[in-house]
Amino acid sequence: LASFDHGFEGVMDALVRIQAEKATAFKDEDRKNIFKAIEDTVGFAAVNVAVKDQLRAWYLDTAARLAEREAEKGGDSAALCNLASALKDFGEYERALSLYQRELELEVDAFGEVHEFVSNTFNRMANVYKKQGRYEEAL
């Protein structure tokens, strides 16, 4: 969860470093055979995309569970906000809105409806609606 404190850039930095063509194997002959099979079929670009997609999904799902657990323990809503921002940046708008909604509930319970944190969360939600072209809801 700590990497979400650094936002989308931290997550992307971790994912960008994935390059199947730099992988190693216990035996050099195994590495050569695996690489040949990849090159003869889907290619490294496709393998890299598949690995990144799987890791991103796992990372975001794990972070979502941790953020929700933190919120349930009475922690602040920062983890939910950071994760929602990352999801928004990945284009996963509905998941981001769901987390922003949960963040909003926690903030209203903690601070009341008229508070800076509450208005900031409404603003973040409006930005997601705007990205989706849902302008009426963004108002």
Side-chain angles (χ1 to χ4, degrees), residues 2 9 16 23 29 41 46 75 78 93 97-98 101-102 104 107 111-113 117 119 127 134 136:
E9 292 81 19
V16 164
E29 184 178 337
T41 56
Y93 301 127
L97 284 169
S98 175
Q101 184 62 45
R102 178 74 174 117
L104 184 65
E107 290 171 346
F111 306 110
E113 291 184 8
F117 292 167
S119 65
N127 285 331
R134 295 164 60 183
E136 289 296 318

Side-chain angles (χ1 to χ4, degrees), residues 55-66 83 87 92 95:
L55 282 174
R56 179 183 65 124
W58 170 82
Y59 190 66
L60 293 174
D61 288 343
T62 300
R65 285 192 302 276
L66 291 172
L83 178 57
L87 287 165
E92 297 193 29
R95 287 179 70 191

Side-chain angles (χ1 to χ4, degrees), residues 3-84:
S3 65
F4 283 104
D5 291 339
H6 303 294
F8 176 70
E9 292 81 19
V11 175
M12 285 306 296
D13 184 51
L15 292 174
V16 164
R17 295 174 195 250
I18 296 169
Q19 294 179 341
E21 55 269 41
K22 292 186 177 185
T24 60
F26 184 71
K27 293 181 180 179
D28 191 50
E29 184 178 337
D30 290 342
R31 182 178 185 271
K32 288 176 185 174
N33 288 335
I34 292 167
F35 280 27
K36 180 162 178 21
I38 290 171
E39 290 167 348
D40 290 348
T41 56
V42 297
F44 281 104
V47 169
N48 289 337
V49 167
V51 169
K52 288 177 187 181
D53 286 347
Q54 289 295 313
L55 282 174
R56 179 183 65 124
W58 170 82
Y59 190 66
L60 293 174
D61 288 343
T62 300
R65 285 192 302 276
L66 291 172
E68 188 60 39
R69 191 176 308 148
E70 181 68 23
E72 287 174 4
K73 289 191 312 187
D76 66 33
S77 57
L80 292 171
C81 176
N82 292 336
L83 178 57

